[in-house]
Amino acid sequence: MSIRIEKAESLKQKPESKKIPFGQVFTDHMFVMDYEEGQGWYDPRIVPYAPITLDPAAMIFHYGQTVFEGLKAYRTKDGGTLLFRPDKNMQRLNKSNRRMSIPEIDEEEVLGYIKQLVEIEKDWVPEFEGTSLYIRPFIISTEPNLAVAPSKTYKLMVILSPVGPYFAGGMKPVRIKVEDEFTRAVKGGTGAAKTAGNYSAAYRAQANAKQEGHADVLWLDGVEKRYIEEVGSMNIFFKIDGKVVTPALSGSILEGVTRMSVLELLKDWDIPVEERKISVAELYQYYEEGKLEEAFGAGTAAVISPVGRLDWLGNTMTINDEEVGPLAKRLYDEITGIQLGEREDTKGWSVNV
Amino acid sequence: MSIRIEKAESLKQKPESKKIPFGQVFTDHMFVMDYEEGQGWYDPRIVPYAPITLDPAAMIFHYGQTVFEGLKAYRTKDGGTLLFRPDKNMQRLNKSNRRMSIPEIDEEEVLGYIKQLVEIEKDWVPEFEGTSLYIRPFIISTEPNLAVAPSKTYKLMVILSPVGPYFAGGMKPVRIKVEDEFTRAVKGGTGAAKTAGNYSAAYRAQANAKQEGHADVLWLDGVEKRYIEEVGSMNIFFKIDGKVVTPALSGSILEGVTRMSVLELLKDWDIPVEERKISVAELYQYYEEGKLEEAFGAGTAAVISPVGRLDWLGNTMTINDEEVGPLAKRLYDEITGIQLGEREDTKGWSVNV
Ligand SMILES: Cc1ncc(COP(=O)(O)O)c(C=O)c1O
Ligand SMILES: Cc1ncc(COP(=O)(O)O)c(C=O)c1O
């Protein structure tokens, strides 16, 4: 589809240091495309970043029919701009669309629009170490109708936000609480989709955890409350007695792009890895036996986030003396190296803008 | 708080027949109030019904932090306007707020604003049998911030929509499918809150059910997938061998105002009632023994909606020959009688506007 471009009349001031608060600064332009039943997706356009106007009865406000994605553009040393496996985000967006009864998008086409938007905003990709331009595609249901049913109209938007390093003073292990009261998702629910409701549903548990000094919660499965699922916005990995274990996709876990990349690298490196059900009780047993060598989260925000301590119903697992473990470090260096174009990209993960 | 009122310059045409599609026609005015951290709720106002403008990064679009309510205003024969137990809706709104980490409202104050709005719009309360003015209060998170955390700003709005009779040609039993694949809610999740994400999460299952000729699905608990929870927007009741059974509030069921009213009436009428766990298997056994006398949903939309047939994994339960049962009829007549001011309101359920 041919795209309409309307340039902003005046440009905003770009952040000058790498201390950019996450998700609060936005670039000069955004991408918008509309959907109407019968017509399909239409009018793709890049326009000045501006508020949107919706009827108070727009379905998004009432029934939460919406999906989103999150990926990043990285500045290379030679001034280029790279995206990391953006095709995977487009695939996941459509997977979320199917779960939420939202019309699918043409993945290649939308990726093309995102590249065009990033190209126009390329001066917004910050160049300090650890910084990037966060890309947030999202689709909202816009029909003004209080009937509880899928919307007949939608809006797909892409906004861009420069972000500072996830770890201000270098990678630092975090403390995580195993959540035993609240549930994030359950089999048959929306946990495997990237949809708004999953995130606010987590706030109560996260607030409790923060009060106790934890960075986030580790969710358990909603059925038995025994099996480990994921952390707030990260999938979780454990290194146990030389092997890496991560929860298998259960239908209620979001399949992370970072997770799949970690799995592929581990296979390349001949490190044994198991995708399977793992209960906290099992993990704790390994801990007591001295076999829990490392734990780390994997997600777009931090890439790799080592877990230094896990608290579970009064039991504390201190992992690798709350230091960054060698495997977490190796994965972080390799993935960020590829993202920044500094390490050889043998798998075609990086996409030039 | 003193309220600001800005009247619409021109008024819309009101629907002239009772054939009003649900949730698509809105009145001339709406209520709006804002919240800001540190300041609390402020600037309550009644203004012309109009689109709202939000930053594309407003949290509602990304993380679904939002709650809503639904109640109705009824026209009495002598031209008055009645609300049905609106205090219960305000209580539930705050319960939902607590679950979703949204600042609580002053229940009495907001109810006062709603009454003022309905008073201004009282000519919009339709007078044909079975019609009413649907009242939709909702709160959305408005802070433009992609951080996954509670918003620092919110907007509470109340919009009004005249609605036609739920059953166009008189009360008619519906066919319902017991949902065995998808899950609406689970213990520890958001099922007991009236929040957007719960509703769009149900679309896939509802679409499948509709294709098979069912009006809606009957949800089972998310843990064991055995125990009956509720229908799309209704709580469910069964009359079994002279007794009434309804699922106990499990933490994943929405506590309906109609449900609590049905329970109180049944007690008044000395009809034995049990709030307890009930599995579909148990229900099916009663059905086979010829003891399943009636089944009906209870909710603001239909008040009472008889279920004529329940389909469960290839088993069909035909209930009361798919006719309206005497208990469903009695409850419907009593509750709508009180709502319309035609039956004595011994409990103070009706509130004059
Ligand atoms: C719930 C959840 N799990 C895991 C992830 C990690 O996914 P990704 O590696 O694609 O960022 C995210 C992501 O952003 C998430 O929101
Ligand atoms: C999920 C759900 N259950 C039950 C009900 C019934 O509640 P009420 O009787 O208050 O309308 C509703 C209501 O509207 C609902 O959305």
Side-chain angles (χ1 to χ4, degrees), chain B residues 8 35-37 52 113 144 169 182 194 202 277 294 305:
Chain B
Y35 178 93
E36 199 162 316
E37 206 181 67
I52 51 173
Y113 299 144
F182 292 103
K194 212 161 163 71
K277 271 188 163 187
E294 288 189 46
S305 175

Side-chain angles (χ1 to χ4, degrees), chain A residues 244-275:
Chain A
V244 175
V245 180
T246 194
L249 300 175
S250 59
S252 48
I253 295 177
L254 190 83
E255 185 176 10
V257 178
T258 319
R259 177 185 182 277
M260 55 180 97
S261 307
V262 165
L263 289 175
E264 290 183 49
L265 288 175
L266 293 174
K267 271 171 209 155
D268 283 4
W269 296 344
D270 287 326
I271 294 172
V273 47
E274 295 173 355
E275 285 182 75

Side-chain angles (χ1 to χ4, degrees), chain A residues 93-118:
Chain A
L93 189 60
N94 264 343
K95 190 180 167 196
S96 301
N97 280 337
R98 287 189 290 274
R99 179 61 185 84
M100 300 308 294
S101 304
I102 294 177
E104 292 186 40
I105 52 145
D106 182 317
E107 297 171 16
E108 272 187 51
E109 193 182 295
V110 172
L111 179 51
Y113 299 144
I114 291 176
K115 285 192 203 167
Q116 265 187 279
L117 178 65
V118 173

Side-chain angles (χ1 to χ4, degrees), chain B residues 52-217:
Chain B
I52 51 173
T53 294
L54 290 171
D55 195 285
M59 286 176 152
I60 176 65
F61 298 135
H62 303 273
Y63 308 125
Q65 196 195 10
T66 177
V67 294
F68 71 98
E69 267 305 324
L71 65 161
K72 286 175 169 180
Y74 304 89
R75 163 86 351 124
T76 63
K77 282 227 172 81
D78 60 7
T81 306
L82 292 178
L83 303 180
F84 184 71
R85 311 189 79 179
D87 51 315
K88 295 294 174 197
N89 295 90
M90 295 300 104
Q91 276 170 23
R92 190 169 63 187
L93 189 60
N94 264 341
K95 190 179 167 196
S96 301
N97 280 338
R98 286 188 290 274
R99 179 62 185 86
M100 301 307 294
S101 304
I102 294 176
E104 291 185 42
I105 52 145
D106 182 318
E107 296 170 15
E108 273 187 49
E109 194 181 294
V110 172
L111 179 51
Y113 299 144
I114 291 176
K115 285 191 203 167
Q116 265 186 276
L117 178 65
V118 173
E119 167 67 29
I120 286 179
E121 302 289 57
K122 64 173 183 293
D123 292 345
W124 278 95
V125 186
E127 47 193 22
F128 307 100
E129 201 195 314
T131 62
S132 58
L133 184 66
Y134 184 77
I135 305 171
R136 167 59 56 90
F138 62 108
I139 302 178
I140 55 174
S141 45
T142 54
E143 186 188 344
N145 190 337
L146 298 184
V148 184
S151 181
K152 294 195 180 71
T153 60
Y154 300 87
K155 212 177 256 304
L156 183 157
M157 306 184 69
V158 184
I159 56 177
L160 307 177
S161 174
V163 294
Y166 190 86
F167 297 105
M171 212 185 208
K172 204 177 159 295
V174 293
R175 294 182 173 179
I176 299 283
K177 172 192 172 185
V178 179
E179 176 58 40
D180 55 274
E181 182 187 356
F182 292 103
T183 311
R184 175 189 173 269
V186 67
K187 200 159 167 282
T190 59
K194 212 161 163 71
T195 184
N198 293 342
Y199 293 82
S200 49
Y203 291 168
R204 270 283 292 278
Q206 286 164 339
N208 292 348
K210 270 166 201 166
Q211 274 192 338
E212 300 158 11
H214 295 97
D216 210 329
V217 299

Side-chain angles (χ1 to χ4, degrees), chain B residues 228-287:
Chain B
I228 293 170
E229 297 229 312
E230 58 184 323
V231 182
S233 301
M234 292 191 281
N235 296 110
I236 186 87
F237 289 81
F238 303 101
K239 182 150 173 274
I240 301 168
D241 206 13
K243 273 193 300 214
V244 175
V245 180
T246 194
L249 300 174
S250 59
S252 49
I253 295 177
L254 191 83
E255 185 177 9
V257 179
T258 319
R259 177 185 182 277
M260 53 180 99
S261 307
V262 166
L263 289 175
E264 290 183 48
L265 288 175
L266 292 174
K267 271 171 208 155
D268 283 5
W269 296 344
D270 286 327
I271 295 173
V273 46
E274 295 173 355
E275 286 182 75
R276 64 170 173 91
K277 271 188 163 187
I278 177 167
S279 69
V280 211
E282 186 190 343
L283 188 76
Y284 190 69
Q285 198 183 316
Y286 292 129
Y287 170 75

